Amino acid sequence: MYTDEVATNIAQTTTGVQDANSLIAQMSSASSDIAQDITNVDNVTSELRQGGELVQERALELAHLSEQLKMLVGQFKVR
């Protein structure tokens, strides 16, 4: 009788440990997925920053061209 109870307790403990290991594996996988998502967000943020810098450069170029065009057009008189 006593050995049956010990065997049952060991079996229950083994099942509990297996369940805990399964949960740990799932949490590890979820953590890995979250880390990859964070990396992806960081990459997209970097691309957006670079795109914003490019837009700013092009806007400055357009402003410069606009000034040049204004000076050229200012040289002509309409009759």
Side-chain angles (χ1 to χ4, degrees):
M1 255 195 181
Y2 178 73
T3 55
D4 290 340
E5 287 180 31
V6 169
T8 300
N9 288 340
I10 291 173
Q12 290 174 348
T13 302
T14 301
T15 300
V17 169
Q18 289 171 344
D19 291 346
N21 285 339
S22 177
L23 288 173
I24 289 169
Q26 290 173 8
M27 288 171 40
S28 176
S29 176
S31 293
S32 178
D33 290 346
I34 289 168
Q36 183 61 48
D37 290 344
I38 289 171
T39 299
N40 292 341
V41 168
D42 184 54
N43 290 339
V44 169
T45 301
S46 178
E47 290 174 12
L48 286 171
R49 180 186 49 78
Q50 291 172 356
E53 289 171 356
L54 185 61
V55 167
Q56 185 177 10
E57 288 173 18
R58 296 304 182 254
L60 289 173
E61 289 174 11
L62 276 174
H64 181 70
L65 288 172
S66 174
E67 287 299 318
Q68 287 179 336
L69 181 60
K70 189 190 309 184
M71 287 184 344
L72 287 172
V73 170
Q75 294 175 5
F76 297 95
K77 292 186 180 181
V78 178
R79 293 185 192 192

